[in-house]
């Protein structure tokens, strides 16, 4: 199979990054729901804001707690910075008209990004293939192996290719 993909969406990168940041969870339970990474970070922002307000409220009544207010403020700043940097980077990737090409053989699958290069995974190293809203993610057996994400438009062609290679047991429902 050889396929070309043009204009990869922000949703594609959001789901791919979510799987990359939670790869150990997906290796142990590949049937997990794939989410957007920025929506997954929002509860952390709310928790940090709540923690900062709570400690600030307590420090208002007891001045001896005032030095402890620095930690929640620092945590809030770091979490907000991580959220906005991640969101801005994913927006830039989604707007960049990035392209990819995929080739498969009986031994491996390779995705080529012109900006990054080749990412290759052997079929023997694949634990499962899961579907998100915008992506088809190939989950490896171990966290040090490559994770490959394909746009959802590759779903049917990948299914027929896996049937041809007799690897349909990798597909998750």
């Amino acid at each position: 199979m050889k396929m070309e993909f043009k204009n990869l969406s922000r949703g594609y990168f959001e789901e791919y990054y979510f799987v990359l940041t939670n790869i150990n969870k997906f290796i142990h339970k590949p049937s997990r729901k794939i989410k957007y990474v920025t929506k997954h970070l929002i509860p952390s922002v709310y928790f940090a804001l709540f923690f900062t307000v709570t400690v600030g409220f307590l420090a208002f009544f007891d001045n001896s707690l005032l030095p402890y207010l620095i930690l929640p403020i620092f945590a809030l700043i770091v979490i907000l910075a991580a959220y906005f940097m991640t969101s801005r980077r994913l927006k830039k990737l989604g707007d960049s008209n990035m392209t990819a090409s995929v080739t498969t053989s009986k031994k491996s699958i390779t995705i080529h990004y012109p900006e990054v290069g080749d990412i290759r995974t052997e079929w023997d190293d694949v634990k499962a293939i899961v579907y998100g809203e915008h992506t088809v993610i190939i989950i490896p057996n171990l966290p040090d192996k490559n994770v490959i994400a394909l746009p959802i438009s590759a779903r049917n062609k990948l299914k027929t290719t896996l049937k041809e290679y007799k690897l349909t047991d990798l597909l998750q429902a």
Side-chain angles (χ1 to χ4, degrees):
M1 169 180 93
K2 184 157 179 72
M3 292 183 74
E4 295 281 331
F5 304 105
K6 299 194 183 309
N7 302 332
L8 299 174
S9 68
R10 178 180 176 169
Y12 168 85
F13 290 109
E14 288 256 2
E15 291 179 355
Y16 187 34
Y17 191 65
F18 179 78
V19 171
L20 286 176
T21 56
N22 296 297
I23 188 63
N24 286 329
K25 293 178 183 178
F26 278 94
I27 288 173
H28 296 301
K29 187 179 175 190
S31 60
R32 294 180 84 77
K33 187 174 185 329
I34 298 174
K35 303 174 187 173
Y36 280 16
V37 71
T38 51
K39 288 182 183 176
H40 190 67
L41 287 173
I42 289 174
S44 300
V45 172
Y46 286 141
F47 178 75
L49 183 63
F50 173 75
F51 190 59
T52 303
V53 169
T54 303
V55 173
F57 183 73
L58 292 173
F60 180 74
F61 291 110
D62 186 3
N63 289 339
S64 66
L65 296 175
L66 203 54
Y68 297 107
L69 187 58
I70 293 173
L71 182 62
I73 290 173
F74 178 72
L76 179 65
I77 291 170
V78 168
I79 289 171
L80 282 173
Y83 173 78
F84 286 117
M85 286 175 16
T86 303
S87 179
R88 187 171 7 127
R89 180 66 179 144
L90 290 172
K91 183 178 183 330
K92 186 188 286 186
L93 282 171
D95 293 342
S96 69
N97 297 327
M98 195 170 185
T99 61
S101 61
V102 176
T103 54
T104 61
S105 67
K106 287 192 177 194
K107 292 187 121 194
S108 66
I109 181 168
T110 305
I111 188 164
H112 174 75
Y113 298 105
E115 294 84 358
V116 179
D118 289 344
I119 300 174
R120 183 173 187 252
T121 298
E122 301 288 326
W123 289 119
D124 294 337
D125 296 333
V126 175
K127 180 168 187 148
I129 298 173
V130 295
Y131 304 113
E133 190 176 324
H134 298 280
T135 57
V136 176
I137 305 279
I138 299 173
I139 306 290
N141 286 327
L142 300 170
D144 63 338
K145 301 292 183 185
N146 294 326
V147 176
I148 292 183
L150 305 174
I152 198 70
S153 60
R155 183 181 194 168
N156 291 334
K157 190 150 187 176
L158 183 65
K159 275 185 182 180
T160 58
T161 302
L162 290 174
K163 284 180 186 176
E164 181 182 316
Y165 297 155
K166 295 178 177 71
L167 296 168
T168 54
D169 56 329
L170 297 174
L171 295 172
Q172 296 288 321

